[in-house]
Amino acid sequence: MPEPPFQKLFWASLTTIIKPVVDGALFFAAACAVMGTAPAAAAACALLYASFDFLFTAGNVLSQRLFGSMANRGITAVLALFLLLLLMAPGIGLAYAVYTFSPAAFSANMLLSGLTSAGWNAAVSLVIFFACRNLLSNAEMH
């Protein structure tokens, strides 16, 4: 396809990115209605669910770029999981700091900390997608 590499990779992964957004919105809206929780908490949970899935999709792209198709899938999975934990740790730490030190009310505090972590996950995922943009251009056939 004559599209830029970043667009090709992003559009190829878009269905994997959109599905958790819709699933999270539906599930957490229903859970919010049933449990009677604050809509801000449901929104934060839905955003976090979608952003973590976006990060997992980006991690899959990154592990494909770094490790290729290694013979031992177990080692690849463990290394990719460790890499994802390292990538999401700063976002979780920032969210905890916002939640702990923010003077806002509980539901606003929950939304702010969720937005912080979701923003971190989205930013890291976009950087990974941009860094691995030539993944589809350099397909090797063995």
Side-chain angles (χ1 to χ4, degrees):
M1 292 186 338
E3 294 292 325
F6 178 74
Q7 285 182 353
K8 280 194 279 191
L9 184 60
F10 185 76
W11 288 109
S13 304
L14 191 61
T15 57
T16 309
I17 295 168
I18 288 178
K19 184 182 180 313
V21 172
V22 173
D23 289 347
L26 292 174
F27 176 76
F28 289 109
C32 175
V34 169
M35 295 173 38
T37 59
C45 289
L47 284 172
L48 281 170
Y49 179 76
S51 72
F52 275 113
D53 192 83
F54 188 30
L55 186 64
F56 288 140
T57 302
N60 188 22
V61 168
L62 182 61
S63 69
Q64 189 69 23
R65 170 58 101 192
L66 293 177
F67 307 124
S69 58
M70 289 178 58
N72 192 340
R73 290 279 192 191
I75 292 174
T76 304
V78 168
L79 290 174
L81 183 61
F82 182 70
L83 185 63
L84 281 173
L85 289 172
L86 285 175
L87 290 173
M88 69 176 69
I92 293 171
L94 285 171
Y96 178 75
V98 166
Y99 183 78
T100 304
F101 299 116
S102 176
F106 174 74
S107 61
N109 217 357
M110 173 100 52
L111 182 63
L112 286 174
S113 62
L115 286 175
T116 302
S117 184
W120 174 266
N121 291 343
V124 167
S125 300
L126 285 173
V127 167
I128 290 171
F129 268 92
F130 185 76
C132 298
R133 65 188 176 274
N134 291 327
L135 184 68
L136 296 178
S137 300
N138 300 330
E140 297 178 9
M141 303 297 278
H142 291 284

